[in-house]
Amino acid sequence: MSDTTNRRANFSNLPENVLNRNHVISIKPTTAKKLTIKNLKSEPKLPDDYREQTWKKLKNAVLAIQQSKPNEDSLEELYQAVENLCHHKMAPTLYQRLHSLTDKHVAHNIEQFLAESMDRYLFLKKMNETWQAHCRQMIMIRSIFLFLDRTYILQSHISSIWDMGLELFGKYILLNTLVQTRVVEGLLMLIEKERQGDQVDRSLLKSLLRMLTDLQIYDKAFEQKFLQATERLYAAEGQRLMQELEVPEYLAHVDKRILEENERVLHYLDPGTKYQLIHTVEKQLLREHVTQILQKGLDQLLSEFRLDDLSLLYNLLSRVKNGLIELCSSFNAYIKKRGRTIVIDPQKDKTMVQELLDFKDAMDNVVVTCFHKHERFSNSLKEAFENFINQRTNKPAELIAKFVDSKLRAGNKEATEEELERLLDKIMVLFRFIHGKDVFEAFYKKDLAKRLLVGKSASVDAEKSMLSKLKQECGGGFTSKLEGMFKDMELSKDINQAFKQHVTVNSRDLPQIEMTVSILTMGYWPTYQPMDVHLPDHMVRLQDIFKEFYLSKHSGRKLQWQPTLGYCVVKAQFRSGLKELVVSLFQTLVLVLFNDCDYISFDYIKDVTNIEDGELRRTLQSLACGKARVLLKNPKGRDVQDEDHFRFNADFTNKLFRIKINQIQMKETTEEQKATEERVFQDRQYQIDAAIVRIMKMRKTLSHNLLISELYLQLKFPVKPADLKKRIESLIDRDYMERDKDNPNQYNYVA
Amino acid sequence: MKVTIKQWTGVASWKWVANDDNCGICRMPFDGCCPDCKLPGDDCPLVWGQCSHCFHMHCIVKWLQSQPVNQQCPMCRQEWKFNNK
Ligand SMILES: [Zn+2]
Ligand SMILES: [Zn+2]
Ligand SMILES: [Zn+2]
């Protein structure tokens, strides 16, 4: 501690007017000037015994102060006396005599502190009283000897009166080993009591600690021992409470402890102790237990979304070295573990996407609210999501696609446009994590096709918005086919309008059916199984007319009908009245059969319509066993058997005029799923081939490793090196490229 | 009549009528487009020669431009003439 700070610390016990040393110095020149003038004029003569008389007066005053007795002479008089003596070269003697007076007095004071059995608290109190008295006395003495302090003492670089007092106080009292030990141990005891929750006399602590500082023994005599005691206490407390308390309680306790220790600094410790003190507490209560705190408590806090506790955890761990790094890696591990349970279990597929969204929301919220949006945490969150979501291949991509479908499909009225938009944005965040984006595309495309072809899309705006999001995320190549599908729908609209005009102009006794056709460009749409069903003559005729019309506009093409995707509005006459039924083409084909017969067998229907067996059973089920039973099945039962017969249900009733009878969807069977996945796989093969040919065409010759690394740059889906090798072999077999004759690790392009 | 059809929304897909699956020039399938295009369909049409061979329009045009003297079909080496059927 430097001399100046030490001196400044002295002032704690001085009244305000004596305090300002700067002020004292600033008035010095004036005093000096006055002196010089006086000296020039005349040298006053003194009575012979003036010096001794005057000293006696001063000595009595000092003794009176030391014994707390009233002074006979006024302060003014005494001050003047000191000044006079100084003018008569008495200053050194004066200083010496004052020193010895003080020395005697302080030396005498030690006695009371050496008694064997004194209560520690009383001891401290006594010490404080003695110290306070000492300070008071020295201030008064100094104000009498102020002239001496400002002239002789200042010029001769000896201890000021105040410092002299301190030196003597230190020398006789606190440098006594026994006394010092008692003082320090007493202080430590008081602090420990306070840490245990007792009320203690803080002003006593403060005063005595200031005393140690003033005597320049705070560091050596007290601080070290205090920090050691702190370390011992909190080391034990940390061990114990980590066992006894739940993590949130433990954190709250640590928080309280740090607050308390800070207050301790504020109230009575030297500010210089703060850093080490708080550091010690943090080390013993936090640093030592970070791993255990995280292992024992983080999962619980996160799974119960205890935001306040998480904020506290973050704030506390940010205080210790590597605390946040460890918190972050545990956070990451939690997300991976929890996330995996969401995606890995096929039982939970139905709720997977919603759970993922909720989970992402919750973790985002934690990062924003509790982790100060710290970049390390938000990046780690992303990494963890990407990691776990891809632990199950294909399924998350498929389910995200289906989830989007459910939200974009007509009849989804749970959300406003803005809500839907926000939801789509959130889904895009999940989508971003998916590695096999082509799997998503395949399923998304399949569902989009359904929405477009059956007119089931809820909103064109939402569809377009989703499309532009995908485009932004994956580039135009990803969405070009999807955009192509929208384009086909627009073109179809135009063709249908033209066809309508064509029909009205050439109304050769046409069937009275309003026909519209969606014309699909093969490459854009999902592949559909062609199915050859038998249509009634008038439908065949209408189809042919349309085909002829279309091909007349588009030469070089051929049309393939896709009966599985067609649907109709049919008018049906029941006893209760006329109804309009919205039904699939297959349902239509079955229904029209009842125009000619009343009661028909399954076999007959199958024969006449040529609908595939499973498809037909589902169709009949939807008409005879569903909610709107326009057919009656004999015998009754949920499943359609070979021997079943059907009858038109003339007694059918329904509140509505227009009734939609849903075709019972083939449950997204594993077959269909596999088929889509298979198509994705095929498409990947094709893309790999195309990429290899593109690269080889440009480079002409390339080593195996370079080719592979270029491929990894271009391919947007996960692929194993062995698969790439297979494709290369296949292209060599098909003469697109060849192995170099001299270097088997090198390929040449074959033009 | 118990049941009459009022409206019918059909679906049909179109394909090029080509005598091969792949374009003889770029070797890409006709269901797709030529290497310079992104999307199949009207923007990357097929054309037929009088020799009855067919190619992506973009492919045969490029081919013909690279053959300033004899404008031949790359498949059968007959003189190339567009078949405007
Ligand atoms: Zn081509
Ligand atoms: Zn093209
Ligand atoms: Zn030819």
Side-chain angles (χ1 to χ4, degrees):
Chain A
M1 212 179 257
S2 79
D3 201 11
T4 28
T5 39
N6 182 30
R7 286 196 176 171
R8 192 159 293 140
N10 293 349
F11 303 147
S12 57
N13 284 314
L14 297 179
E16 198 62 38
N17 57 340
V18 200
L19 256 178
N20 199 332
R21 197 164 271 257
N22 289 334
H23 175 68
V24 173
I25 289 164
S26 76
I27 60 167
K28 192 186 126 202
T30 355
T31 328
K33 208 173 187 181
K34 214 168 160 189
L35 269 174
T36 333
I37 296 163
K38 249 188 182 173
N39 284 345
L40 275 176
K41 272 184 179 171
S42 67
E43 178 87 4
K45 297 231 165 62
L46 295 170
D48 289 347
D49 62 346
Y50 175 78
R51 291 177 196 188
E52 282 315 309
Q53 287 301 327
T54 312
W55 166 244
K56 212 170 163 193
K57 227 165 38 174
L58 289 169
K59 183 182 171 185
N60 285 338
V62 170
L63 290 175
I65 289 170
Q66 285 174 344
Q67 285 150 33
S68 305
K69 284 182 190 157
N71 236 322
E72 284 167 25
D73 301 299
S74 76
L75 208 60
E76 180 69 34
E77 221 173 307
L78 294 166
Y79 178 90
Q80 194 58 50
V82 171
E83 187 174 345
N84 289 342
L85 287 183
C86 284
H87 287 318
H88 291 89
K89 305 191 172 66
M90 279 281 285
T93 324
L94 204 54
Y95 183 74
Q96 212 192 340
R97 285 174 176 176
L98 179 61
H99 186 277
S100 92
L101 274 183
T102 316
D103 187 299
K104 214 179 277 171
H105 177 69
V106 176
H108 173 73
N109 268 334
I110 180 78
E111 294 301 326
Q112 53 187 322
F113 299 110
L114 296 174
E116 269 311 310
S117 58
M118 198 194 289
D119 174 79
R120 279 194 193 177
Y121 181 65
L122 282 180
F123 177 90
L124 290 181
K125 272 204 105 82
K126 188 150 226 155
M127 175 58 72
N128 189 39
E129 274 162 27
T130 309
W131 164 248
Q132 294 289 348
H134 172 83
C135 293
R136 248 186 347 264
Q137 290 159 11
M138 290 314 291
I139 287 162
M140 285 169 73
I141 290 170
R142 180 177 182 265
S143 65
I144 293 172
F145 290 83
L146 192 61
F147 191 81
L148 182 69
D149 221 16
R150 284 181 186 166
T151 55
Y152 168 71
I153 292 174
L154 204 64
Q155 286 149 19
S156 13
H157 306 290
I158 50 178
S159 299
S160 71
I161 294 169
W162 175 260
D163 288 348
M164 173 192 72
L166 287 181
E167 281 154 18
L168 292 171
F169 196 88
K171 175 180 160 199
Y172 286 107
I173 301 178
L174 278 156
L175 291 185
N176 178 304
T177 327
L178 181 66
V179 174
Q180 193 184 89
T181 310
R182 283 183 176 177
V183 169
V184 171
E185 278 178 0
L187 290 170
L188 292 177
M189 176 202 71
L190 276 190
I191 295 174
E192 192 176 327
K193 267 189 163 180
E194 194 184 40
R195 280 173 171 163
Q196 282 162 5
D198 288 357
Q199 285 271 328
V200 299
D201 185 347
R202 283 182 162 182
S203 60
L204 177 64
L205 275 166
K206 178 177 174 167
S207 170
L208 289 175
L209 287 168
R210 286 294 171 101
M211 173 184 79
L212 297 184
T213 306
D214 288 356
L215 298 175
Q216 303 187 47
I217 56 172
Y218 178 88
D219 303 19
K220 258 182 284 164
F222 172 77
E223 192 180 50
Q224 247 178 338
K225 283 185 186 154
F226 167 68
L227 290 173
Q228 279 163 5
T230 305
E231 181 152 3
R232 267 197 309 277
L233 173 78
Y234 288 130
E237 182 171 293
Q239 295 286 352
R240 185 169 52 84
L241 294 185
M242 270 310 292
Q243 297 299 319
E244 287 175 10
L245 298 181
E246 290 294 310
V247 167
E249 282 96 336
Y250 183 78
L251 295 175
H253 178 79
V254 175
D255 191 42
K256 197 183 96 202
R257 278 303 197 199
I258 292 175
L259 207 73
E260 283 171 5
E261 294 301 337
N262 270 308
E263 273 191 4
R264 220 148 264 148
V265 176
L266 219 60
H267 286 294
Y268 52 81
L269 293 170
D270 189 277
T273 309
K274 180 172 175 175
Y275 175 78
Q276 276 183 289
L277 170 62
I278 301 301
H279 181 78
T280 306
V281 180
E282 287 166 353
K283 180 166 184 294
Q284 294 305 331
L285 291 184
L286 289 169
R287 181 65 233 148
E288 294 290 320
H289 305 288
V290 169
T291 314
Q292 215 194 333
I293 289 173
L294 292 172
Q295 270 176 9
K296 197 174 149 195
L298 183 64
D299 285 14
Q300 185 201 4
L301 296 189
L302 285 170
S303 59
E304 293 171 12
F305 308 124
R306 293 169 68 157
L307 298 183
D308 290 344
D309 291 330
L310 286 165
S311 297
L312 180 58
L313 177 66
Y314 178 92
N315 291 337
L316 289 178
L317 290 189
S318 67
R319 309 180 74 113
V320 300
K321 194 173 169 226
N322 291 338
L324 289 188
I325 294 178
E326 287 199 38
L327 173 59
C328 189
S329 73
S330 298
F331 177 59
N332 183 283
Y334 168 79
I335 296 174
K336 283 178 184 166
K337 195 171 66 185
R338 168 88 184 85
R340 195 182 147 83
T341 65
I342 298 177
V343 296
I344 214 75
D345 182 3
Q347 302 278 307
K348 289 166 73 183
D349 282 354
K350 267 190 183 160
T351 53
M352 183 202 290
V353 179
Q354 190 57 52
E355 270 191 59
L356 285 175
L357 288 171
D358 294 345
F359 186 45
K360 180 75 178 24
D361 267 354
M363 292 303 106
D364 278 344
N365 192 8
V366 168
V367 170
V368 171
T369 322
C370 312
F371 298 166
H372 298 209
K373 297 187 200 166
H374 194 305
E375 214 182 338
R376 182 199 301 283
F377 286 85
S378 40
N379 288 340
S380 180
L381 171 74
K382 283 183 204 146
E383 189 274 329
F385 261 81
E386 182 167 341
N387 176 291
F388 80 69
I389 226 170
N390 288 297
Q391 290 203 4
R392 188 154 168 222
T393 35
N394 300 348
K395 203 68 189 181
E398 174 193 332
L399 292 177
I400 290 171
K402 286 188 181 147
F403 186 83
V404 176
D405 176 56
S406 74
K407 297 299 169 189
L408 291 179
R409 208 184 296 159
N412 167 41
K413 289 187 183 87
E414 42 191 299
T416 65
E417 296 239 333
E418 294 87 51
E419 280 167 346
L420 183 59
E421 186 67 20
R422 263 206 302 283
L423 183 65
L424 293 181
D425 279 334
K426 285 182 177 174
I427 289 172
M428 286 310 294
V429 175
L430 292 185
F431 171 71
R432 207 163 289 153
F433 298 134
I434 299 282
H435 286 162
K437 295 199 164 50
D438 47 354
V439 176
F440 172 90
E441 198 238 34
F443 283 98
Y444 185 78
K445 188 157 107 173
K446 208 175 65 161
D447 293 333
L448 173 64
K450 269 187 213 158
R451 292 198 298 277
L452 291 178
L453 295 178
V454 192
K456 267 208 230 160
S457 182
S459 130
V460 180
D461 288 348
E463 294 283 0
K464 290 267 161 78
S465 158
M466 184 64 197
L467 200 60
S468 78
K469 285 183 211 305
L470 288 172
K471 193 171 184 171
Q472 210 175 0
E473 191 59 39
C474 305
F478 186 80
T479 48
S480 57
K481 289 183 178 177
L482 302 177
E483 284 173 84
M485 291 163 73
F486 281 95
K487 208 176 116 196
D488 274 352
M489 293 312 287
E490 307 250 310
L491 289 176
S492 300
K493 221 188 258 170
D494 297 344
I495 292 163
N496 283 311
Q497 225 147 41
F499 179 63
K500 213 172 175 179
Q501 272 179 2
H502 169 80
V503 170
T504 34
V505 174
N506 309 285
S507 55
R508 315 160 274 183
D509 78 296
L510 271 177
Q512 293 298 306
I513 302 176
E514 199 182 305
M515 190 192 200
T516 53
V517 181
S518 305
I519 305 287
L520 319 182
T521 304
M522 277 299 272
Y524 302 155
W525 297 75
T527 343
Y528 297 109
Q529 278 304 316
M531 209 177 262
D532 192 17
V533 296
H534 297 164
L535 302 181
D537 289 346
H538 65 299
M539 289 180 90
V540 174
R541 200 140 54 83
L542 192 56
Q543 227 177 31
D544 288 345
I545 293 166
F546 183 88
K547 190 170 177 175
E548 191 187 319
F549 170 76
Y550 178 80
L551 294 181
S552 74
K553 306 268 175 195
H554 298 275
S555 60
R557 296 185 181 188
K558 56 187 175 193
L559 268 192
Q560 163 85 57
W561 293 97
Q562 304 283 4
T564 35
L565 301 168
Y567 69 97
C568 299
V569 177
V570 302
K571 287 192 271 189
Q573 187 65 54
F574 299 102
R575 292 214 176 88
S576 63
L578 186 74
K579 300 278 181 197
E580 277 187 12
L581 307 177
V582 182
V583 284
S584 73
L585 178 64
F586 291 165
Q587 288 169 326
T588 310
L589 296 184
V590 171
L591 285 175
V592 293
L593 292 181
F594 291 90
N595 283 335
D596 302 323
C597 321
D598 281 329
Y599 190 65
I600 31 186
S601 70
F602 173 78
D603 285 340
Y604 175 79
I605 299 173
K606 192 174 167 186
D607 242 32
V608 176
T609 61
N610 199 35
I611 298 173
E612 182 269 331
D613 185 88
E615 196 75 48
L616 179 60
R617 280 174 210 270
R618 280 191 295 276
T619 304
L620 286 165
Q621 214 174 10
S622 69
L623 295 170
C625 313
K627 273 189 205 146
R629 302 188 176 183
V630 292
L631 295 186
L632 295 173
K633 185 171 91 78
N634 185 30
K636 289 186 164 125
R638 270 216 57 73
D639 293 316
V640 175
Q641 310 291 343
D642 291 356
E643 305 76 29
D644 286 352
H645 282 66
F646 297 88
R647 180 193 304 285
F648 185 74
N649 181 11
D651 294 323
F652 174 79
T653 57
N654 198 298
K655 279 180 291 187
L656 302 170
F657 173 65
R658 184 178 270 227
I659 303 143
K660 183 163 173 31
I661 304 177
N662 285 321
Q663 173 87 17
I664 293 175
Q665 288 294 326
M666 190 177 9
K667 266 196 207 111
E668 281 262 306
T669 51
T670 25
E671 281 162 57
E672 200 187 349
Q673 215 126 295
K674 277 216 182 98
T676 308
E677 277 174 27
E678 183 60 27
R679 274 196 295 279
V680 173
F681 181 69
Q682 290 288 342
D683 197 48
R684 282 183 184 176
Q685 311 277 51
Y686 172 69
Q687 285 191 50
I688 296 170
D689 287 1
I692 295 173
V693 171
R694 219 167 28 238
I695 294 167
M696 289 309 297
K697 192 174 178 180
M698 196 162 70
R699 301 298 182 103
K700 303 300 179 215
T701 149
L702 208 58
S703 77
H704 177 76
N705 287 344
L706 281 177
L707 175 59
I708 298 289
S709 57
E710 284 220 23
L711 280 171
Y712 272 113
L713 283 179
Q714 292 200 8
L715 298 173
K716 297 273 162 53
F717 45 84
V719 56
K720 294 192 200 82
D723 295 334
L724 294 179
K725 215 166 171 187
K726 266 188 221 154
R727 299 319 303 160
I728 293 172
E729 295 299 336
S730 151
L731 287 169
I732 290 174
D733 287 347
R734 286 181 282 157
D735 291 333
Y736 280 85
M737 53 200 274
E738 62 181 13
R739 226 177 268 284
D740 192 270
K741 283 172 192 74
D742 302 323
N743 181 357
N745 271 324
Q746 185 148 311
Y747 305 118
N748 300 323
Y749 179 67
V750 179
Chain B
M1 285 297 245
K2 295 163 193 151
V3 180
T4 46
I5 301 170
K6 186 183 166 197
Q7 285 167 20
W8 177 15
T9 308
V11 177
S13 44
W14 70 266
K15 266 179 138 177
W16 297 109
V17 187
N19 42 14
D20 201 349
D21 285 344
N22 298 323
C23 169
I25 299 174
C26 70
R27 304 196 201 185
M28 293 294 179
F30 284 129
D31 281 348
C33 53
C34 81
D36 294 334
C37 289
K38 286 238 152 60
L39 290 175
D42 287 336
D43 295 336
C44 187
L46 301 199
V47 287
W48 285 260
Q50 283 179 1
C51 61
S52 90
H53 282 118
C54 114
F55 306 98
H56 291 115
M57 185 187 78
H58 297 137
C59 294
I60 188 69
V61 167
K62 239 199 223 167
W63 165 261
L64 295 174
Q65 280 166 356
S66 71
Q67 311 262 309
V69 194
N70 294 318
Q71 304 260 298
Q72 289 174 344
C73 167
M75 302 300 280
C76 62
R77 300 285 159 187
Q78 291 182 44
E79 192 192 352
W80 178 265
K81 281 201 176 122
F82 284 103
N83 183 2
N84 302 311
K85 59 172 171 182

